[in-house]
Amino acid sequence: MAKFRSSYVCQNCGAITQRWQGKCESCGEWNTIIEEAAALGVGGAAARRGAAGRPFPLEDLSGSSKTEPRLVTGIGELDRVAGGGFVPGSATLIGGEPGIGKSTLLIQACAAVARAGGRVVYVSGEESTAQVRLRAARLGLADAPVQLAAQTFVEDIVATLGSGDAPKFVVIDSIQTMWSDAIESAPGTVSQVRGASQALIRFAKASDAALLLVGHVTKDGQIAGPRVVEHMVDAVFSFEGDGAHAFRLLRAAKNRFGATDEVGVFEMTGGGLAEVPNPSALFLAERDGAANPGAAVFAGVEGARPLLVEIQALVAPTTFGTPRRAIVGWEPSRLAMVLAVLEAHGGMKLGQYDVYLNVAGGLRIMEPAADLAAAAALISSLTGASLPRDAVYFGEIGLSGSVRAVAHAGLRLKEAAKLGFTRAFAPHSPRASGEPVNIATQPIDNVGALVALIAASAVETRAGRAKSPARSGVTN
Ligand code: TYD
Ligand code: MG
């Protein structure tokens, strides 16, 4: 009698153990290990049959292969992240939080591909066909020849896709809802997700369809459960944004057919996702008309794309014993470091002040290059001196108070010049080729120089306007 061997699989990382444990040794998560029927593994079936392998001809590295024609969806931002369109026979995983717009983006892509000709299939495991149809109608895509299904059983899906014309573009929304008969464990487990992905990817490779799998992410941004799927697919994109703002970023975390530093920018509108060809303009659109203390424009780079965004700071005397530090859109540890450097090397006394820092527009900045802009906003708020409205800031601050050069200086300056900025405060960098001439770079090589510069303009402002005594925490 066949007896199922079972193994214990971590639902977070896919690690296998021989017995149940409360904590996964591999990823450190608690209560993620559940019992599943053991998979045979690749080659397991052949080994049992005792079949011998057959030799196959090997190829030379120097041989030529034809470049794959790409399947262009016509949604420019999506195609760019994919590396110039999707490669037939490839599998792409698109992860994102619920409600971020994955289904909306993919139904728009399906409609665009279908209108250009070719069979396009959209399989939803979460919504009924009526719901998908309703959304498409709202987006004005009701007439696109996309084939719909509300199915979760992988064997049926593969059989349906395999009958009739070979599909060009297949969307599975989402992979976590799919299940296969060949696997013993319950739907939604790592084994099921892995098995279902394997079956679908095998179909895509055999039929030259471009396969897009939607994956849910957990709170900390990982694709839920099956990290294993990330290794099976050719590309992994993440769709990010924040519910309170309309913009969305599509990033490539892995791409076998393109660069991973591409970023697509979209805006969620009443008519679906709209491409944003000039994201800096979107993020700067809500800047105050007049110059305000505490606002600095950071010339950032997302992936390979320049992105200008305003950093706002508020430094106010604390009313509690312990001053507050609150931050939105940037790392608290970097703020702590910048504050410490401003105290130690800039002569600023911040111990009696609450500090708030906000990246306008809901963007999350990861770059250390934002240090200088954050510092400028903080000094500006503390001294009450507005920063020049036509200036951008970038540079990484070191613990010694020095400001270090960052990558893509030329790209940042070019974008700033394009948007009408005329001055850039940045560390000395080896002059990048093609640097624009219509923007003046003022080198800032240490934090002290930045404090002195802004404090000097604060003194001018005060003298000029003869205002009531302004507070100043700057002691040198
Ligand atoms: P959806 O694509 O269903 O998200 P996901 O598949 O990632 O879970 O998007 C849902 C959200 O998008 C929903 O909150 C409403 C919003 N939305 C718009 O703002 N405009 C639109 O045209 C559409 C279709 C959705
Ligand atoms: Mg969805």
Side-chain angles (χ1 to χ4, degrees), residues 95-108 122 126-127 134-136 138-139 173 214 216 239 248 268-273:
E97 286 175 21
I100 208 74
K102 302 180 293 294
S103 306
T104 307
L105 177 66
L106 292 178
I107 196 76
Q108 286 180 272
Y122 181 97
E126 300 187 340
E127 295 164 303
L134 203 69
R135 175 185 294 122
R138 258 208 317 272
L139 299 173
D173 188 358
V214 172
H216 292 292
F239 203 36
R248 303 281 184 268
M268 182 61 95
T269 67
L273 287 156

Side-chain angles (χ1 to χ4, degrees), residues 249-411:
L249 293 185
L250 185 69
R251 287 176 208 273
K254 159 183 174 177
N255 194 351
R256 287 185 185 148
F257 304 113
T260 50
D261 56 4
E262 282 295 358
V263 175
V265 186
F266 297 90
E267 189 177 0
M268 182 61 95
T269 67
L273 287 156
E275 295 176 54
V276 179
N278 188 349
S280 299
L282 175 78
F283 284 107
L284 293 180
E286 282 158 36
R287 265 182 103 197
D288 287 338
N292 276 330
V297 175
F298 166 50
V301 170
E302 279 289 332
R305 219 163 167 192
L307 193 59
L308 266 50
V309 62
E310 190 178 69
I311 295 186
Q312 303 165 343
L314 178 64
V315 180
T318 185
T319 46
F320 301 106
T322 319
R324 286 202 63 176
R325 270 89 178 94
I327 184 159
V328 178
W330 204 40
E331 283 169 61
S333 56
R334 284 214 83 84
L335 174 66
M337 196 204 77
V338 169
L339 290 176
V341 172
L342 285 175
E343 290 225 14
H345 302 285
M348 288 173 66
K349 296 283 170 271
L350 293 155
Q352 298 302 311
Y353 292 95
D354 287 341
V355 174
Y356 303 90
L357 197 89
N358 176 40
V359 178
L363 192 72
R364 268 205 70 79
I365 299 181
M366 309 289 188
E367 281 190 287
D371 292 354
L372 194 69
L378 291 165
I379 303 166
S380 160
S381 178
L382 180 71
T383 58
S386 317
L387 300 171
R389 270 185 67 76
D390 60 347
V392 296
Y393 298 80
F394 61 90
E396 179 181 349
I397 294 177
L399 288 178
S400 63
S402 63
V403 181
R404 274 181 270 162
V406 292
H408 304 300
L411 200 62

